Amino acid sequence: WISKSGYVPKIGLQVHSFSHSAFVSPEFIIKSVKLFVHPAKEVERGTNLTLTCNAQVSHTGGRLPQYTYNFYKNFERKALHIQKMDAVEQVNFSIPNARAFDSGIYRCELVIEQQNLKSIKTVLEMFAVVQPAGLQVPELIVDKQRVSEGESVSATCRAEEEKGSLQFSFKDGTNEVHRESSEIGHVQTILTFHSARIARLSCLYLINQLESNISNVVTVEVQELDIRPTITFQPSTEVIEGDTVQIFCRVDSKFQNSTFSLKLIKGKDLLKPDMKNSNYSKVVQATDTGEYECRATINSVTKTDAQNLTVKELFSKPILTITPVGVFEGQPFTVTCKSSDFASERISRDQVKYSILMNGQSVTLGAFNGEYNATASTQTNGNYTCNAQANNILKWSQLQIFKAKMLVSKPIIEVVDKVVLDRPFKIHCRSEYGSFPINYTLIRNQKPLNQILSWHENDHASFSAVISTKEEIQDYKCIAQNSQNSPPLMSDALSAPVIGELTIMFIPVKKVSLVVLPGPDQVIEGTDVYLICNAGIGTPPISFKWYRLGNNSALMSNTVQVNNSAHKLPKVSSKDSGTYYCEAYNNGIEHSQSDKVTFTVIYYKYTNVFSQMFTFVLLPKTQTHLYQLERKPSSPFRS
């Protein structure tokens, strides 16, 4: 829909879920329809407005028919907006950038099949109205001044001395109830009264944005429709689970031949759509506690009577417990199922029968005392639940997941890095399996040194240690334990290679350098480039790694029994240009890094213009000998 002013309203929906069934034609009743305006009914020019139509519907369940929401303005018979959808109890109608044109009387309507219910009118104002003088005072005429609830009167507002288009407004007290335009100086309309009272009717009209004075006031006495439903419960409004309760809805006998409806409602549930000739019967449970409403409708007038039904529990919902907490495999455990409260006037405690189930299968066949004993294992792991039953009432406990804990396995003790005499090194204790947390203890010569509690598999138990002789490595063991009811397990003695004294047997790597051949300014596209890494000081074997700046991964690694090694970059191109460095290390902990060397690959269009270099590298012991062969276009090889 597009209004005359050119804007396009936006519709926002708030969806509620309903149960659907393709095989049930539900009964329903529209209880109320209300219209709300946000942010307010009186706003400034340019405000964004939202009109929300909110409905309450009770139904018997099943697949509901389509809901149709109609929005009206200024009592126009044609809807301003129509929205159809499935079982939605709230619809939004947006008016962006509101102007004076949008001022008016708004209402909304919900239509479900043949039922409809309209909201109370809502006044929306963007400007003040001026009261003029000199216009004819209108006259109001009604055909009846005494009616009953649900009945209507014919009301006519006349101002036949005025010419042109007149917009007539009918009021009940201060509330406007109808507005309609006419070119003939009068408007006749039907006004329906839904509640008993004294109605004070009047009218006025507007012409060229001028408002007339108010007409004469006509009173209409609206008498209450004497139809009063009553709701009763048998045997009582206070019963116990398992009792059969009958609910009766009745109206005065003088209305028995009238056309009216009589429905039984509990909250949003329409329990029975026709209570005129029958009652409602049910074996109740505790969840049936609540307010029940008997609703009678005649001539669009609705009367209600409501009472509360209280259903006492025959027995309470059972509670499932598993003891002890934190059971390990091989240990006994007990599952119990019990209800704490009973209706002692109906049953005794031993009349409640219990069943315990694991993964949906009963583990207590033939036994109903609510207790199950077993030894924990992988076969007893699963989802446990239970039920309690008495007098055809069945109740379930909440589900509990049981998983037996696993005892820790014999620990493994190992070193993380190389062991060097008189230098700190790391000892790692771990177990192949076992439930966390696991307590690890490092011992030396049967004396505890330190403890670490590991909470998960990535929470490593790492200890620091120092030895002065190779034989001391076997003094270390570790202990693992994760249950106070089981003895701790001890590892084998630590075993690892030990490097001797640094002052006699070992020299760490130092003075590492990187040489690029040919020189950094002589690297030509298509030739081979050698990156020679040299350790000036260090005891072999020595490990070398080459890196390119910007890449954390090594280009190559190599371990040799000499103090240098080379990495070849074959047939280089421009993409090989960059900065390079190398690292060297031996059995010591320290790594030594070279300075960074940068070269750029040179490109020549004609190969006969440049020199081609050939390099032969000889790497004995700790010295590097370089032999270079050079060929120029105009001369033979020379060495």
Side-chain angles (χ1 to χ4, degrees), residues 27-29 60 247-250 256 258 260-265 270-281 294-295:
E27 296 285 344
F28 57 88
I29 183 169
T60 56
I247 304 176
F248 299 88
C249 279
R250 295 287 183 265
Q256 291 298 325
S258 303
F260 69 95
S261 66
L262 196 59
K263 304 178 187 295
L264 179 64
I265 299 171
L270 181 57
L271 300 180
K272 195 165 185 178
D274 185 7
M275 293 284 289
K276 289 168 61 176
N277 302 309
S278 62
N279 62 319
Y280 179 80
S281 179
C294 188
R295 176 177 286 249

Side-chain angles (χ1 to χ4, degrees), residues 5-184:
S5 61
Y7 64 79
V8 181
K10 300 178 182 178
I11 301 299
L13 305 180
Q14 179 175 341
V15 182
H16 300 270
S17 298
F18 290 85
S19 299
H20 294 275
S21 171
F23 307 99
V24 179
S25 179
E27 296 285 344
F28 57 88
I29 183 169
I30 305 173
K31 298 179 69 175
S32 67
V33 178
K34 296 180 181 180
L35 180 63
F36 302 94
V37 181
H38 304 283
K41 294 181 182 179
E42 297 185 14
V43 295
E44 295 181 357
R45 183 174 180 270
T47 302
N48 293 325
L49 297 172
T50 299
L51 276 62
T52 300
C53 192
N54 186 284
Q56 289 189 355
V57 180
S58 294
H59 53 83
T60 56
R63 183 175 182 83
L64 293 175
Q66 190 177 57
Y67 287 16
T68 300
Y69 285 89
N70 299 319
F71 286 83
Y72 296 89
K73 178 184 177 184
N74 293 340
F75 305 100
E76 294 288 342
R77 290 187 172 89
K78 184 178 180 180
L80 179 65
H81 177 78
I82 301 174
Q83 183 71 34
K84 297 182 178 181
M85 57 199 61
D86 292 334
V88 175
E89 293 191 351
Q90 182 170 298
V91 170
N92 293 332
F93 172 46
S94 297
I95 303 176
N97 197 24
R99 294 291 187 267
F101 170 83
D102 299 304
S103 299
I105 309 299
Y106 289 82
R107 60 185 172 88
C108 68
E109 175 187 52
L110 172 59
V111 180
I112 306 177
E113 290 187 347
Q114 302 302 317
Q115 287 194 37
N116 69 81
L117 189 63
K118 297 178 182 178
S119 68
I120 298 174
K121 288 78 178 176
T122 298
V123 182
L124 183 62
E125 294 184 350
M126 249 72 62
F127 62 98
V129 178
V130 179
Q131 177 70 44
L135 296 177
Q136 178 188 357
V137 177
E139 178 186 12
L140 177 65
I141 302 172
V142 298
D143 63 342
K144 291 179 290 185
Q145 290 187 263
R146 177 175 293 179
V147 294
S148 296
E149 288 178 302
E151 293 182 344
S152 304
V153 299
S154 175
T156 302
C157 188
R158 313 176 72 91
E160 296 178 347
E161 295 179 5
E162 299 293 340
K163 296 181 180 181
S165 178
L166 305 180
Q167 189 176 63
F168 288 89
S169 172
F170 292 80
K171 292 189 176 185
D172 183 352
T174 58
N175 296 322
E176 185 174 36
V177 294
H178 184 70
R179 182 179 290 194
E180 185 177 341
S181 296
S182 173
E183 301 282 347
I184 59 175

